[in-house]
Amino acid sequence: MEIILLNRTARILSGHPWVFSNELRVSPKRYEPGSLLELRDRKNDFIGIGYINPHSLIAIRILTRKREEINHDFFRKRILQAIEYRNRFLEERESFRVIYSEGDCLPGLIVDKYGNSLSIQFLTLGMERWSEIVIEILDEIFSPSLIVLRNDSQARLLEGLEIEKGIIKGELKECLMIKENSLFFEVDPLSGQKTGFFLDQRENRIAFSRLIGDGIGLDLFCYSGAWALHLANRGADVIGIDNSDYAISQAKRNAELNRLSDRCKFIKGEVFKFLRDEVSSGNHYDFIVLDPPAFVKSKSKLKEALRAYREINSNAFRLLGRGGLIATSSCSHHISRELFMDMLRSSAKEAGREVRLIEMRSQTKDHPVLISVPETEYLKCAFLKVD
């Protein structure tokens, strides 16, 4: 195994697995893309083993801090450790995220389980080199009837990889059916957003629904209606808004599936315009869910994204009646908790409302946060009371 020396190591020695090209003492272009390297500091002391991609901003991703073979046994051990973590801390184990990339010390690998089906993403060149072994191990452990490859993330383009998706085991004749708490949802692992369902908000959906009884509210950026159905199941009437025909169609089917169509109305619409129109109309609601997609994909777009977050949150605050509740989220790791809270304070001031924080939450436990890697905590979800 070739050796590569690092110039700056403080962040890396504190546990962060990313090595940027400007932290290397030599050009990464001299190394074969996807190959394994032994990392050493200026004193030639061992740091770890990682894979390299000279064409990526993140040149090296560290796999281990030990001198060990990276082989079938290594990946099997890591995957079993991830499963053990979920067996210990998850209540819901029918459908969950099995592998969460850096959060499970397997950078570049995402695996979601939907019942007896697996959806797999290889996001980096270095991890794709091990794709056959990883798939073999997962197939051996879970014996799924269906394995879907969702290599359609734009992150792959930054790694010099092609966008692709397909079925590598079994057959998908119709959407999968999963259960969340007492509700059922259709999941399309081949064509749905992410890998078919937003597993990361599961605990937040259930927790917020427990704060809601009757009343009328909104589920904005509703996708397949998961928030709305949890709220309707508690006795509320909910209007869901999304700009996707596919999402609205799926949300309506999920409402029918759970016999909640009389309490849920799903409408195709652009959320920013919908909010502005509702404010102009003087309408008010008892609760609102605001779960937008990531507005910021890079730091260069941060100011623009914060303006967008402020607009939708300030208008949502204006729409809530006195004592109304809102669950508002950001799913971008570029927006820290501090920035998120600053944005909410600015939104409250702009709306002229007094806002209290009931609870600040994050992603579900099957998306574990590695404290040495702040980027693994990407989801912020605030439960607020607006007066």
Side-chain angles (χ1 to χ4, degrees):
M1 185 182 299
E2 290 194 70
I3 295 170
I4 192 166
L5 300 178
L6 309 186
N7 273 325
R8 286 175 282 177
T9 58
R11 178 181 54 81
I12 296 161
L13 291 175
S14 71
H16 205 290
W18 296 352
V19 182
F20 296 95
S21 56
N22 62 358
E23 294 173 315
L24 302 175
R25 295 186 66 179
V26 296
S27 171
K29 293 181 180 179
R30 61 181 286 186
Y31 298 95
E32 181 188 352
S35 61
L36 294 172
L37 298 175
E38 183 178 304
L39 285 69
R40 296 187 185 180
D41 62 17
R42 288 181 177 180
K43 297 179 180 180
N44 208 36
D45 290 333
F46 176 82
I47 294 177
I49 298 171
Y51 58 74
I52 189 167
N53 186 349
H55 307 299
S56 172
L57 178 62
I58 303 172
I60 298 175
R61 297 176 194 256
I62 298 174
L63 286 170
T64 181
R65 306 279 175 159
K66 300 177 182 178
R67 291 185 183 275
E68 58 182 323
E69 290 289 326
I70 307 300
N71 53 23
H72 181 283
D73 290 343
F74 170 84
F75 283 101
R76 180 178 174 81
K77 179 182 68 175
R78 282 286 169 87
I79 291 170
L80 287 174
Q81 286 172 346
I83 295 169
E84 181 184 6
Y85 178 89
R86 285 146 180 83
N87 286 340
R88 182 176 180 184
F89 296 113
L90 277 189
E91 293 181 9
E92 170 58 59
R93 292 199 290 273
E94 178 186 333
S95 299
F96 60 92
R97 175 148 293 182
V98 180
I99 305 291
Y100 172 49
S101 197
E102 279 83 358
D104 286 301
C105 301
L106 286 168
L109 177 62
I110 299 290
V111 181
D112 287 335
K113 179 179 182 292
Y114 298 116
N116 196 33
S117 301
L118 294 180
S119 181
I120 306 174
Q121 289 183 314
F122 296 97
L123 302 176
T124 59
L125 175 61
M127 189 57 71
E128 179 147 297
R129 286 284 187 93
W130 297 93
S131 60
E132 290 186 10
I133 284 178
V134 169
I135 292 169
E136 176 187 325
I137 294 167
L138 290 167
D139 193 18
E140 178 188 336
I141 292 172
F142 289 103
S143 298
S145 59
L146 176 73
I147 299 179
V148 174
L149 197 62
R150 283 297 299 263
N151 286 342
D152 55 347
S153 168
Q154 295 299 304
R156 285 174 58 87
L157 297 178
L158 301 176
E159 290 279 316
L161 296 169
E162 294 182 356
I163 298 294
E164 59 181 359
K165 61 181 179 179
I167 296 172
I168 56 177
K169 180 185 179 181
E171 187 177 0
L172 183 62
K173 295 182 179 179
E174 57 187 18
C175 286
L176 306 177
M177 190 80 67
I178 68 168
K179 187 177 182 181
E180 183 173 277
N181 212 19
S182 61
L183 298 173
F184 293 93
F185 295 93
E186 283 189 354
V187 174
D188 185 346
L190 195 59
S191 301
Q193 292 186 34
K194 283 197 171 182
T195 63
F197 196 70
F198 289 89
L199 294 166
D200 53 1
Q201 289 274 27
R202 178 180 61 246
E203 294 170 3
N204 299 333
R205 287 189 286 262
I206 294 169
F208 190 64
S209 71
R210 290 170 179 161
L211 302 178
I212 304 297
D214 54 9
I216 301 173
L218 301 171
D219 179 6
L220 304 177
F221 305 99
C222 67
Y223 186 44
S224 58
W227 285 91
L229 294 181
H230 278 286
L231 295 165
N233 199 42
R234 301 285 290 189
D237 294 302
V238 191
I239 300 170
I241 307 292
D242 200 283
N243 200 34
S244 163
D245 285 317
Y246 176 86
I248 293 299
S249 176
Q250 195 173 40
K252 289 178 178 178
R253 289 198 303 273
N254 285 331
E256 293 170 1
L257 185 66
N258 291 281
R259 299 181 180 179
L260 290 170
S261 297
D262 58 330
R263 291 199 172 276
C264 293
K265 182 180 181 182
F266 294 102
I267 305 170
K268 182 186 177 183
E270 202 280 315
V271 170
F272 284 84
K273 182 180 185 302
F274 175 83
L275 282 168
R276 289 192 293 266
D277 290 347
E278 288 296 284
V279 170
S280 297
S281 300
N283 292 330
H284 289 93
Y285 296 91
D286 299 303
F287 60 86
I288 294 175
V289 171
L290 201 50
D291 188 13
F295 290 154
V296 52
K297 300 293 187 179
S298 65
K299 286 185 178 180
S300 64
K301 300 291 185 181
L302 189 57
K303 288 185 179 179
E304 180 183 331
L306 286 170
R307 283 196 296 270
Y309 280 116
R310 278 195 297 271
E311 178 182 340
I312 57 174
N313 278 278
S314 61
N315 280 334
F317 291 160
R318 292 184 180 101
L319 283 180
L320 284 167
R322 187 167 297 279
L325 302 182
I326 181 171
T328 181
S329 300
S330 167
C331 60
S332 172
H333 75 258
H334 293 290
I335 294 181
S336 64
R337 284 194 177 208
E338 291 73 23
L339 275 178
F340 185 63
M341 289 302 297
D342 285 343
M343 177 276 296
L344 292 175
R345 280 188 282 269
S346 297
S347 300
K349 181 180 178 181
E350 188 176 318
R353 304 299 297 271
E354 186 176 77
V355 178
R356 288 180 171 82
L357 176 66
I358 301 170
E359 186 177 5
M360 177 63 84
R361 301 177 64 90
S362 186
Q363 62 245 34
T364 52
K365 298 180 186 68
D366 52 4
H367 294 62
V369 175
L370 203 61
I371 62 172
S372 58
V373 189
E375 294 84 355
T376 57
E377 186 179 21
Y378 65 93
L379 182 62
K380 283 73 57 180
C381 181
F383 292 177
L384 307 169
K385 177 176 178 286
V386 179
D387 293 317

